[in-house]
Amino acid sequence: MKGKSYTWVIQGDINKCFDRIPHKIVIQSLKEYIEDPGFLNLIRKFLKTGYINPKTGETVAVNHVGIPQGGILSPILCNIVLHKFDDFMREYIQEFESGKRRKGNPEYRKLEYRRRTAKTFKERLNLLRLMRKISAYDMNDPNFKRMMYIRYADDFVVLVTGSKNDATLTKIRIKDALQRLCGAELNNDKTLITNMKDGFDFLGSHIRKLGRNPQFIGKDGRAGINRVYEGRLLLNVPILKIISNLEKMGMLKRENSTGKRTPSGCK
């Protein structure tokens, strides 16, 4: 809902996040909030217990790195460690953002003046159509910068209003922060910087900006007049793939060719 005004997106990919986080950093992160030595010792034992390979049945030992996957504590401990990265991004965004608003677009102002001084209704209407094709503000204003950060488990994206160089520098800072604060490694090859018009993949969906300044006309209920609204980002969710996977897992059954439900119904 808020992503339509951003230009670039950094698609973060942490290289084997669960397998690379050092035990030392996990314990240090817990010590900032928990003082009970018995509880911390229990966590140490959990981290070093290892796990059983389901294919071979062999016990895989864990030394000083990695959070065993599959345990109920694993995503919680990973999230606690990555909270340090959240704090870094919060401070970095405050440092990065600048300007109260974008400066005006000179071309838009010229059209606005011509429409205001136009003699006929037809001329004003044509100029209005031209105005709606461009932005009222300079979308490349170097003095206006914004950033938004969203993380879900070990997947995250960073949306940037600014230049591509700003996005590239941010990626470098992110890589350093993950290594320094969390002991995690950013995958350079899979961490992509793309334009919002080309879109990006996040949590199983493809998200992109619709065209150039997508707009639609709507009624302002209070004023009773038409206003131009900007469209939101397009979220392409692979519904058919999701339904197919649920069907394979036995969580639902499709309707048959006659449109009637199967005898067992739909679960």
Side-chain angles (χ1 to χ4, degrees), residues 237-255 266:
V237 182
I239 298 296
L240 295 179
K241 182 179 179 181
I242 293 173
I243 292 175
S244 178
N245 288 337
L246 290 173
E247 187 180 17
K248 290 177 182 177
M249 296 168 64
M251 299 182 69
L252 61 80
K253 292 184 179 181
R254 292 176 183 265
E255 293 182 346
C266 182

Side-chain angles (χ1 to χ4, degrees), residues 28-196:
Q28 286 177 347
S29 300
L30 291 173
K31 279 184 176 180
E32 294 180 10
Y33 304 95
I34 300 171
E35 297 180 357
D36 185 351
F39 178 84
L40 295 174
N41 189 46
L42 184 63
I43 297 297
R44 288 191 185 94
K45 290 180 179 179
F46 168 79
L47 292 172
K48 294 182 179 180
T49 298
Y51 59 94
I52 297 176
N53 188 321
K55 295 181 179 179
T56 63
E58 297 179 353
T59 300
V60 180
V62 178
N63 296 320
H64 303 288
V65 176
I67 300 174
Q69 296 192 48
I72 190 172
L73 288 180
S74 302
I76 299 174
L77 294 177
C78 183
N79 203 39
I80 289 172
V81 172
L82 289 178
H83 180 70
K84 291 178 174 292
F85 179 59
D86 298 339
D87 288 338
F88 165 80
M89 287 302 304
R90 191 176 297 111
E91 294 176 3
Y92 182 74
I93 289 173
Q94 292 178 352
E95 172 190 328
F96 176 84
E97 293 189 338
S98 63
K100 291 185 177 180
R101 62 174 61 186
R102 291 183 174 94
K103 65 181 181 181
N105 183 354
E107 293 300 319
Y108 185 89
R109 300 304 173 201
K110 289 178 183 178
L111 291 172
E112 190 176 41
Y113 175 77
R114 287 175 55 192
R115 181 171 181 265
R116 195 164 52 244
T117 57
K119 302 294 183 180
T120 66
F121 173 77
K122 184 177 181 180
E123 186 180 358
R124 288 195 297 271
L125 183 60
N126 289 333
L127 289 168
L128 178 61
R129 287 170 178 167
L130 291 174
M131 290 169 63
R132 286 176 175 170
K133 291 181 179 180
I134 63 175
S135 173
Y137 300 97
D138 181 3
M139 303 306 290
N140 297 314
D141 183 358
N143 297 317
F144 181 86
K145 296 182 181 182
R146 291 292 185 270
M147 182 178 290
M148 183 164 63
Y149 161 72
I150 309 99
R151 179 176 70 84
Y152 184 90
D154 57 343
D155 292 326
F156 68 90
V157 290
V158 180
L159 278 57
V160 179
T161 291
S163 66
K164 189 172 183 179
N165 287 337
D166 290 329
T168 302
L169 178 60
T170 299
K171 178 181 173 180
I172 295 172
R173 295 284 299 274
I174 285 173
K175 180 179 180 180
D176 173 71
L178 281 171
Q179 179 63 48
R180 176 169 46 86
L181 300 174
C182 307
E185 181 183 354
L186 189 72
N187 190 322
N188 270 325
D189 295 332
K190 293 185 178 180
T191 300
L192 307 176
I193 298 175
T194 55
N195 193 286
M196 289 290 289

